[in-house]
Amino acid sequence: PRPDVTLCLYGEGADTEGALRESLNLAAVAMLPVVFDRENNRSGMSTSTKRSMGVRQIAERAVACAMPGVTVDGSDFSALAEAVARAWGGEGASLVESLTCRWRRHSKSDRHRDRPKEEIDS
């Protein structure tokens, strides 16, 4: 078993970057002890993920790298614990998509155009 595991936290804005896909592939090929945790609030800086991604859930991309990928409620940490245990056991990388909510704007220039008024109010 490995004593070290890297937890890579990132948001859905990184999903359209080539560096993320390269990182997933490298981690899978080299059997690295990495857990990729995508914190998904369903909105990049000003673009809904419905308009920026071809897949519905990012966990589907794990299949292309032959690694486990799951989509879970972001307040449930059991999937992360399982992925860490898998990495500690020498079984390589995993991808966890944690669904969450965005409480505020990304910045003052974010006009919430991609979010329904009801969601912002709630």
Side-chain angles (χ1 to χ4, degrees):
R2 294 192 60 127
D4 55 341
V5 172
T6 299
L7 178 61
C8 178
L9 301 170
Y10 68 98
E12 63 281 339
D15 287 325
T16 58
E17 299 293 325
L20 176 65
R21 292 190 191 109
E22 293 168 7
S23 298
L24 291 169
N25 186 61
L26 178 62
V29 169
M31 291 293 289
L32 298 177
V34 180
V35 176
F36 294 92
D37 182 19
R38 181 213 201 217
E39 298 169 341
N40 183 1
N41 62 34
R42 298 166 197 85
S43 176
M45 173 61 174
S46 60
T47 305
S48 167
T49 55
K50 290 178 184 176
R51 293 187 329 205
S52 63
M53 291 188 352
V55 294
R56 183 166 176 234
Q57 297 175 322
I58 195 63
E60 295 174 33
R61 290 188 176 162
V63 173
C65 295
M67 72 173 66
V70 295
T71 300
V72 298
D73 180 314
S75 63
D76 179 359
F77 298 101
S78 60
L80 285 174
E82 289 173 22
V84 168
R86 184 175 180 281
W88 270 335
E91 297 179 60
S94 301
L95 173 63
V96 177
E97 178 180 25
S98 300
L99 300 178
T100 186
C101 178
R102 185 172 87 194
W103 294 95
R104 301 191 193 289
R105 302 175 190 189
H106 281 97
S107 72
K108 289 182 181 183
S109 65
D110 185 354
R111 295 187 182 124
H112 291 298
R113 291 183 178 161
D114 61 317
R115 297 174 68 197
K117 183 178 179 346
E118 300 80 28
E119 180 183 323
I120 295 167
D121 291 344
S122 72

